[in-house]
Amino acid sequence: MKIAVITRSLIFSGGGERQAIQFSIELLKLGHEVTLYTTKHDSKGCFPDDVKKITLKTLAFEQKSLFPASLKRLPLVGDFFHMYAENRLAKRVALMIDSDTEVLNPNDSWGTHVALYFKKRNPRAVSVLMLNDLYTARWSLFDDPLFGGRKSLLKWPLYFLKDFFERTLFFHNLDSVVVLNNRTVGLVSHYMKKESVIVRSGVDLNHFSYRQRSPLQKDKPIRLFCHGIFYIHRRYEDAIEALQILVREGYDATLTISGDYESRDIFRAYYDRLAKLVEVHALSSRVTFSGLVSESELLELYNQADIFVSPAHLQTWGIAVFEAAASGLPTIISRTIGAAEVLEDRVNTMMVNPAKPNEIAEAVQSLVESPLLYDTIAKEANRFVRNNVSWRRYAEHMLAIFKKTYERKNA
């Protein structure tokens, strides 16, 4: 099949970016013709080695805005100009896509705009959305009380109209929708009035190899590790608070957090909050912020760690959890991330409630006090990942949906 994978940008080394790139690589291995389309690409910041393995097309230049910056900052008016600008970009990317492309695979909501404009010229093509995260005017994970609460009810009529526009014009044009977890199935049904199916993301099993760990001891160094771009839903503050509890109770524990915190203002602001928290708790000698790391450096961080912690709230999947498991690390994860839908508490992971640092600390203590539990969770998680989570498996499931969707439309 001739397939176009579409994503808004490839600037960061995040889970969504890794998924789009690895999926493209697997499609090529399976003999399909695939091109990854995006508006812009940072050749150094977004998986530079993997991008070399695929055909990537980006816009040749940034189109200048037709409107003055002062108008964009106005309430409501700025939203309109932003939507207009994003649509212009979508139309330009749609014109880049080869006319004989059979399947469009947007990897975000913006990509549904590209799909609509391409299919107006090429009606036989099908569009299958991989919706990593759902952001609508009426719902976003950042509306959750842990991230600040709901938006003003006074704006809800406008939010409803905006969602209605997105739903009727773009989402209803899609031929199939794929999501990563059960929660998103419900959200897509409620807000976008669209059915969706679940396909779990993958991991590179050859890249992340299993390493046997020795049992932990309370008076010996215990190295905790978190990884991911510095979005606030990571809730790294919970890992820092858990570290304080462990140190107070006599554990020789340290915490390393890797991930980009410099590319955007919101990343930097979150990092500054965390840095202040570390200072308040006098943990500067025990907490390391590694920043953006290369693939080889990430492998080394997994290999050096004793326990991987993912305290995120409402994260749709959690690729790093499975990378850690493939590397032989026992994991502690929040019950509200997508990975918790497929893993089992105290069987192949340790689960905690979100925003509960004390539970993270207790989970670490359990792994230290029981060498059998530590070893069992590491081995069972690795077994689960190698039997159930891979990019080949992800690609095959997506291809089955592509073929079924295409045959149904063009029968």
Side-chain angles (χ1 to χ4, degrees), residues 146-157:
L146 286 181
F147 305 122
R150 301 295 297 175
K151 299 181 178 74
S152 170
L153 293 179
L154 295 176
K155 295 183 179 180
W156 270 55

Side-chain angles (χ1 to χ4, degrees), residues 346-399:
R346 302 186 74 88
V347 174
N348 47 29
T349 191
M350 299 290 284
M351 291 190 190
V352 298
N353 290 308
K356 296 292 183 181
N358 60 305
E359 294 188 13
I360 296 175
E362 290 167 3
V364 172
Q365 292 167 353
S366 295
L367 292 171
V368 173
E369 292 169 2
S370 174
L372 178 60
L373 180 65
Y374 182 83
D375 186 61
T376 299
I377 284 183
K379 289 180 178 177
E380 288 301 315
N382 184 264
R383 182 178 294 111
F384 175 86
V385 171
R386 296 192 179 277
N387 289 338
N388 299 282
V389 184
S390 69
W391 291 121
R392 175 55 57 91
R393 186 183 181 93
Y394 173 78
E396 289 174 345
H397 285 179
M398 290 296 291
L399 277 171

Side-chain angles (χ1 to χ4, degrees), residues 210-236:
Y210 180 83
R211 185 175 75 82
Q212 179 76 34
R213 263 88 175 164
S214 300
L216 302 177
Q217 298 180 42
K218 182 177 180 178
D219 59 345
K220 301 292 184 181
I222 300 168
R223 295 159 295 189
L224 309 180
F225 178 44
C226 301
H227 174 67
I229 295 174
F230 276 50
Y231 289 110
I232 62 171
H233 71 275
R234 305 287 186 197
R235 293 204 59 84
Y236 291 142

